[in-house]
Amino acid sequence: MSRTAVPADAIHEPSPVHDEEARLRELGYQPVLARRMGGFGNFAISFSVISVLSGCMTLYGFGMATGGPAVMLWGWAGVGLFVLCVGLALAEVTSAYPTSGALYYMADRLGGRRWGWYTGWLNLLGLLGAIAGIDYGAALFTGAFLNLQWGFEPTAGSTFLIFLGILLLHAVLNLFGVRLVSVLNSVSVWWHLAGVALIVGALAFVPDRHQSVDFVFTEFVNDTGWANPFYVAAIGLLLAQYTFSGYDASAHLSEETSNASVTAAKGIVRAIWVSWIAGFALLAGLSFAIQDYAATQASDTGVPPAQILLDALGSGAATALLLVVIVAQLFCGNAEVAAASRMVFAFSRDNALPGSALWRKVSAHTQTPVPAVWLAVAVAALLAVPSLYSATAYGAVTAINVIGITPAYAIPIYLRLRAGDRFVPGPWSLGRWSKPIGWTAVVWVAVVTVLFCLPQKSPVTVDTMNYAVIALAVVLVLASVWWYVARRSYGTPTAYGTAREEAEIAEGIV
């Protein structure tokens, strides 16, 4: 595919036409997906993927060991603020480029083919890691529920089988089309908000004993083996950063959203700040209700939040609330499969993946990328296989999500900043706040990417190794090797059916 240079002041010309299908053709793609999602549905998919009832609950035990309540609460507040900056900056670029390819398409247009290539592979790694992390977390909580209800003893093998069943469920649900996905996500919003209110309310009023304010906001716990408290606190930020990921789902579903140039941008930002408030309330509610810290960490259920509910509320109420959490996690995983499959579809549409001709196929009946759905869940299953052999594998899977997807957020933001006034924003813009917010986002992403490549426990052994850095290295090496195979066929297209054949970035800009 040939690439021709453009003038330095012509990186992007927003269309005066508000017809999103015409806009998509301007960006180079023939519409093939059904545009059946409204603004609330678009917000709902990012909110469902963030899912405080998934991230906060599944990594609460990790947080108890890596800094304790103080790091969980203050870390959530601080990380949420920085993530909001990332979301605001990303929303501005999304408004200019509302396509299913999202991050890699933005990077390609603003920086050239190689920027788009590596951004796409990082984004794909993060999205697939997110499916694995979310659905494996749901499997852990399902095991805890079965333990409370029928005395079932969860093992690594049984948990993995539950995980595979959940993946299959999400694959099947995503085959029915985006309208069902949108409806489920809309229900998910209210389920999450009502679930958080129910859990926090029950933990606030039912228990006879609560921890003190001093305990919740200042108690520091270090069970990592590392001596440096700053290092431990930094590692503990994974709980918040992992939860605050996946909001690019709004961008990935933009080709199926009405007025996407505005609603997808708003969906990203709204999902972050609503989750910020709800997550803080949930973490505070759980921390105040801890009855026995050590016993909670060593819970027979395998899930510390389940033990908190059990100790504070009794068996019946704990079981019921655990079921509320599991359903929320299932909503979350379903939304993530939708987002990841659209990324697989879009990346294959531009010939970036091995077997692209298969993965970009769309069902004529449901207008859903069926092969992409199956590929997404299959790779997610492979990413979770180490959980059969290592007790620390879940932390590694969640770190894979963070160090894959978070840098992919920053690349288009950085390239937009580098472009300066040559970038003309879409209808949703930060105006004069674009640069300070954008640079804050880029610096934050650089910091957390380094943090989550570091070992989480000491001493570092085969069992405690952070395999996320290995997964990242493998993907980057494979992406580099595949570049030399596919570079002649890979590329985002020129404008579809218009005279704007010159509107691309020269490869020499890279």
Side-chain angles (χ1 to χ4, degrees):
M1 181 175 293
S2 63
R3 311 280 294 192
T4 51
V6 292
D9 61 350
I11 282 184
H12 167 55
E13 292 181 17
S15 171
V17 181
H18 294 291
D19 182 348
E20 292 294 337
E21 304 289 36
R23 178 71 188 123
L24 186 60
R25 290 186 177 91
E26 255 186 16
L27 294 174
Y29 297 110
Q30 171 69 12
V32 295
L33 300 175
R35 201 175 289 273
R36 295 171 180 165
M37 184 175 286
F40 184 82
N42 187 275
F43 147 73
I45 192 166
S46 282
F47 181 77
S48 297
V49 171
I50 292 175
S51 181
V52 296
L53 285 174
S54 179
C56 291
M57 298 292 274
T58 53
L59 280 185
Y60 191 86
F62 175 87
M64 291 182 77
T66 53
V71 172
M72 283 192 279
L73 269 296
W74 291 112
W76 182 270
V79 169
L81 179 61
F82 285 115
V83 170
L84 185 60
C85 290
V86 178
L88 286 165
L90 186 63
E92 182 178 52
V93 190
T94 297
S95 180
Y97 303 105
T99 71
S100 294
L103 309 181
Y104 87 86
Y105 181 89
M106 303 170 196
D108 181 285
R109 279 298 193 259
L110 292 168
R113 296 175 72 208
R114 289 209 186 197
W115 281 105
W117 178 267
Y118 283 102
T119 301
W121 279 99
L122 287 171
N123 191 196
L124 188 59
L125 172 67
L127 288 168
L128 297 174
I131 296 174
I134 293 163
D135 281 1
Y136 194 82
L140 288 171
F141 271 73
T142 301
F145 172 82
L146 296 175
N147 176 267
L148 290 178
Q149 190 69 22
W150 293 290
F152 172 80
E153 292 296 331
T155 64
S158 61
T159 300
F160 192 79
L161 288 176
I162 295 170
F163 164 69
L164 293 178
I166 292 172
L167 281 177
L168 180 61
L169 170 66
H170 287 154
V172 172
L173 288 174
N174 270 271
L175 299 181
F176 285 99
V178 74
R179 188 182 297 278
L180 177 60
V181 172
S182 182
V183 170
L184 290 174
N185 288 331
S186 297
V187 173
S188 170
V189 171
W190 303 114
W191 186 277
H192 273 81
L193 294 177
V196 169
L198 187 62
I199 291 170
V200 173
L203 293 177
F205 293 108
V206 175
D208 295 328
R209 174 182 173 272
H210 289 90
Q211 297 289 345
S212 66
V213 173
D214 183 66
F215 173 86
V216 171
F217 289 97
T218 66
E219 183 69 16
F220 181 84
V221 179
N222 177 14
D223 293 332
T224 65
W226 296 107
N228 189 317
F230 295 103
Y231 182 91
V232 175
I235 297 299
L237 297 179
L238 176 61
L239 182 155
Q241 188 64 53
Y242 166 69
T243 305
F244 279 119
S245 63
Y247 43 86
D248 59 315
S250 289
H252 288 294
L253 272 292
S254 58
E255 289 184 33
E256 296 158 87
T257 302
S258 301
N259 194 25
S261 297
V262 174
T263 53
K266 287 183 176 180
I268 291 171
V269 177
R270 189 180 303 161
I272 293 171
W273 70 256
V274 174
S275 298
W276 192 13
I277 296 170
F280 189 87
L282 179 61
L283 290 172
L286 288 169
S287 299
F288 273 112
I290 295 173
Q291 303 298 306
D292 185 323
Y293 203 93
T296 297
Q297 287 181 291
S299 173
D300 290 338
T301 66
V303 179
Q307 193 64 45
I308 293 174
L309 297 175
L310 185 63
D311 293 343
L313 307 175
S315 178
T319 303
L321 290 179
L322 204 56
L323 190 58
V324 170
V325 173
I326 292 168
V327 172
Q329 292 171 340
L330 294 177
F331 278 130
C332 175
N334 190 64
E336 185 62 34
V337 169
S341 63
R342 270 49 173 191
M343 174 59 196
V344 171
F345 159 76
F347 217 25
S348 299
R349 182 173 58 181
D350 292 330
N351 295 308
L353 296 180
S356 287
L358 172 62
W359 312 125
R360 63 172 172 254
K361 288 183 178 180
V362 175
S363 166
H365 177 63
T366 63
Q367 292 182 275
T368 299
V370 173
V373 170
W374 287 114
L375 180 64
V377 297
V379 175
L382 290 176
L383 286 176
V385 166
S387 66
L388 292 169
Y389 311 101
S390 170
T392 60
Y394 183 69
V397 169
T398 56
I400 286 172
N401 169 228
V402 171
I403 67 175
I405 208 167
T406 308
Y409 291 156
I411 292 172
I413 297 171
Y414 164 73
L415 293 173
R416 178 263 174 276
L417 293 168
R418 190 182 73 165
D421 294 337
R422 292 179 294 149
F423 171 84
V424 180
W428 194 95
S429 172
L430 295 174
R432 61 192 179 91
W433 290 100
S434 182
K435 289 183 179 179
I437 290 176
W439 282 115
T440 300
V442 170
V443 171
W444 172 249
V445 168
V447 170
V448 298
T449 300
V450 172
L451 285 182
F452 300 136
C453 287
L454 301 175
Q456 297 168 353
K457 287 191 175 183
S458 178
V460 180
T461 66
V462 172
D463 289 333
T464 62
M465 171 70 181
N466 184 355
Y467 292 98
V469 67
I470 296 177
L472 177 63
V474 168
V475 166
L476 291 177
V477 169
L478 290 177
S480 298
V481 171
W482 188 247
W483 167 258
Y484 290 100
V485 176
R487 69 185 186 277
R488 290 183 178 85
S489 60
Y490 162 74
T492 58
T494 54
Y496 184 92
T498 76
R500 296 182 67 244
E501 295 295 327
E502 298 298 314
E504 294 194 74
I505 309 302
E507 188 174 354
I509 291 178
V510 179

